Amino acid sequence: MPTSTFEPVLVGVAQLEQRDADPVAGTGKEPLELMIDAVRAAAEDAGAPGLLASADAVRVTRGMWPYGDPAKAVAEALGCPAAETGVSMWGGDAVQLVLTESALDIQSGAHQIVVLVGAECGRTQAKARRAGIDLQWCAAPGSPDRTFGEELKMRTRAEAVRGVSQPIQMYPIFENAIRHARGETLEGHIRRVSELWAGFSRIAAGNPHAWIRERATAEEIRTPSETNRPVSFPYTKLMNSNSNVDQAAALILCSTAVARRLGIAEDRWVYPWAATAAHDTYAVSNRDNLHSSPGIRIAGGRALELADRDVEDVAHVDLYSCFPSAVQVAAAELGLGEERPLTVTGGLTFGGGPLNNYVMHAIAQMADVLRDGPGDVGLVSSNGGFITKHAFGIYSTAPPAKPFRYEVPQDRVDAMPTREAVPAFDGPVEIESYTVMYGSNGPSAALAACLLGDGRRAWGNTDDPETMHAMVNEEFCGRTARLRERGTIEF
């Protein structure tokens, strides 16, 4: 099928891992160096190293590093100093959003060759902190020509005051809400979820770029141990995103006309067919419930519609997998069964979770998978915040029947039911969901979403040892309690 002159196509991908860096010995590369290496590897993957000198845009995923305009430093190192520079804002959805904008720029003729890259050195940073070493990374000063995304407030003061403000607190609350909505027992639920996560570990074992390639069984994943401590009920460490990684990834997009002119073999081409984005309520407090996502259901469904495909037509999937609850919600909303592989990398636990840049690894890996299965269709999902911001991409080595399309069906998501929240309440409530947080000496605090009799939501907590012990051994979703104005829950 012939393609248009400005049809966007992904021609080069790369993933790098740095396992032997030692800040004590002064060895290892910083993120900026890994970015440059990754882009060069992506150009080699395309079979056209010379294309980098002609790149007219370089876009970096924001990370935990001190750089002002890292894209400028990358561009200068690659021999394209005049390239437009860009940096994303925070969020796990950032990579897909930047790729979508890049595809649209190519489609409109605004750019011909766009480089996307990102890197994190979380493992090196952790080693340096333990050793008391101040890493002397360069500043890469300046301001990017373009910033993608916007800073958003996704936590309320009422949530933070009650101790619910971090992913390791909110996602297990979603998890327990899923269990209650499915009518599962505590034992049946953790067995099912650990089997799901063991499937991710199996995929990672076959992925040469995965950070943890040793297969973990479901029993090992769900059982607390010296190396797998409990973090937040019902999650152990092996059910959390793993940011203790040094990883980089890069993608190169161009038009089909440029790819032909550069002699890039068509068996390297991966087309973005369609993309969508939307968000659920920015505050979790205002969600209708804690076990579903209208944003995923509507935006993900629309991406498939734009690609003229049903979910059954999708051969390969990578669902954003910071925690098991995120995968379960996405799978349910998209109509994907948990018995099929839901990742191509192994996910953020086993494949590696380099902060905002995970999805670049997912897209790079998806490109390799699709190249091995010409004509197959792949779906990659993204998640920012607390199952809040969503971005989807549909990819294939086959040219799309229609030009690349992008939509944001936010009006449809905004029309879905929401819930009012109150900052404080004194009276009877029903426990909607909860978690128990662990410290070095065992359970440290229980956090709960509470429903008032009129349907409004409030947040509460307790540090009563007997109550916390009961909450990890018995079902507390649906129980009645007394919420005090200061936030304490009494049973």
Side-chain angles (χ1 to χ4, degrees):
M1 181 183 298
T3 57
S4 68
T5 301
F6 298 132
E7 190 73 41
V9 64
L10 181 61
V11 294
V13 303
Q15 300 180 73
L16 303 179
E17 308 79 47
Q18 176 176 253
R19 298 180 181 275
D20 55 357
D22 185 354
V24 176
T27 60
K29 297 181 178 182
E30 65 177 272
L32 186 57
E33 294 173 293
L34 292 180
M35 290 184 211
I36 294 167
D37 289 348
V39 176
R40 287 174 173 155
E44 291 286 349
D45 175 73
L51 68 79
L52 295 177
S54 301
D56 49 4
V58 177
R59 295 163 178 178
V60 172
T61 308
R62 186 172 297 280
M64 293 296 291
W65 27 250
Y67 313 135
D69 188 4
K72 182 66 173 177
V74 171
E76 290 175 347
L78 299 177
C80 53
E84 176 198 82
T85 65
V87 176
S88 77
M89 299 304 285
W90 298 102
D93 58 328
V95 170
Q96 180 60 59
L97 291 178
V98 175
L99 187 148
T100 296
E101 289 294 329
S102 301
L104 292 172
D105 285 345
I106 290 169
Q107 191 172 54
S108 70
H111 288 295
Q112 293 190 71
I113 301 173
V114 181
V115 171
L116 278 63
V117 66
E120 294 290 349
C121 289
R123 185 171 182 269
T124 293
Q125 288 172 311
K127 283 185 171 183
R129 282 194 300 270
R130 289 193 296 268
I133 295 173
D134 183 18
L135 293 168
Q136 300 298 312
W137 290 347
C138 72
S143 298
D145 299 322
R146 190 170 173 184
T147 300
F148 296 86
E150 57 183 321
E151 291 287 4
L152 297 168
K153 183 180 179 182
M154 290 180 283
R155 299 172 177 84
T156 68
R157 184 176 185 277
E159 293 163 359
V161 165
R162 301 294 180 241
V164 188
S165 62
Q166 300 298 320
I168 61 171
Q169 298 156 342
M170 200 70 82
Y171 280 88
I173 290 176
F174 297 151
E175 186 66 61
N176 291 318
I178 293 168
R179 180 187 66 240
H180 186 57
R182 293 178 64 136
E184 295 176 319
T185 64
L186 267 64
E187 177 65 20
H189 169 260
I190 196 61
R191 284 186 174 276
R192 178 181 60 79
V193 173
S194 60
E195 290 287 355
L196 172 67
W197 232 231
F200 277 59
S201 179
R202 285 193 294 272
I203 297 297
N207 173 12
H209 299 292
W211 193 259
I212 301 175
R213 298 193 64 196
E214 299 80 14
R215 286 180 58 170
T217 67
E219 184 174 3
E220 289 169 336
I221 290 169
R222 66 176 176 261
T223 305
S225 67
E226 289 186 4
T227 57
N228 188 36
R229 62 183 176 84
V231 176
S232 49
F233 176 75
Y235 291 156
T236 61
K237 181 180 178 181
L238 283 176
M239 293 182 180
N240 283 250
S241 175
N242 177 18
S243 61
N244 193 27
V245 299
D246 286 12
Q247 291 181 308
L251 309 172
I252 301 174
L253 291 99
C254 65
S255 67
T256 53
V258 168
R260 288 195 179 92
R261 187 176 76 240
L262 294 173
I264 299 174
E266 292 196 30
D267 62 6
R268 311 307 292 163
W269 298 9
V270 176
Y271 294 87
W273 277 15
T276 56
H279 64 80
D280 287 300
T281 62
Y282 287 132
V284 173
S285 293
N286 298 126
R287 307 274 171 88
D288 179 53
N289 62 66
L290 302 179
H291 62 266
S292 71
S293 167
I296 293 176
R297 181 169 64 253
I298 292 169
R302 185 57 182 152
L304 290 166
E305 291 173 354
L306 292 176
D308 293 323
R309 290 294 184 273
D310 295 324
V311 71
E312 294 81 8
D313 300 324
V314 176
H316 312 285
V317 175
D318 195 88
L319 299 184
Y320 197 85
S321 50
C322 49
F323 298 88
S325 55
V327 171
Q328 293 166 79
V329 170
E333 297 292 15
L334 296 171
L336 293 163
E338 293 179 15
E339 69 282 353
R340 65 169 291 173
L342 297 175
T343 181
V344 294
T345 68
L348 281 86
T349 298
F350 307 104
L355 200 62
N356 300 308
N357 204 49
Y358 166 77
V359 172
M360 197 172 295
H361 291 265
I363 294 172
Q365 189 69 18
M366 181 65 78
D368 281 337
V369 169
L370 292 172
R371 287 165 171 174
D372 289 339
D376 285 355
V377 176
L379 179 151
V380 176
S381 79
S382 308
N383 168 15
F386 308 113
I387 313 185
T388 307
K389 302 182 296 175
H390 314 291
F392 296 87
I394 309 292
Y395 300 89
S396 179
T397 57
K402 300 176 182 177
F404 174 75
R405 291 186 287 175
Y406 174 56
E407 285 188 13
V408 181
Q410 191 59 46
D411 56 341
R412 292 171 55 194
V413 180
D414 291 343
M416 295 293 102
T418 57
R419 191 179 294 272
E420 184 181 348
V422 296
F425 179 74
D426 196 311
V429 296
E430 177 183 308
I431 302 301
E432 181 183 16
S433 190
Y434 65 98
T435 189
V436 175
M437 303 302 299
Y438 286 81
S440 57
N441 296 316
S444 59
L447 313 171
C450 307
L451 295 179
L452 283 56
D454 60 6
R456 293 180 295 170
R457 179 181 285 120
W459 298 89
N461 54 52
T462 180
D463 60 3
D464 176 67
E466 290 186 9
T467 301
M468 291 190 291
H469 176 76
M471 292 177 95
V472 301
N473 289 285
E474 304 170 24
E475 179 61 87
F476 268 64
C477 293
R479 290 202 186 188
T480 56
R482 176 88 183 192
L483 179 62
R484 295 299 185 181
E485 188 170 0
R486 64 182 181 276
T488 305
I489 308 168
E490 300 173 354
F491 293 94

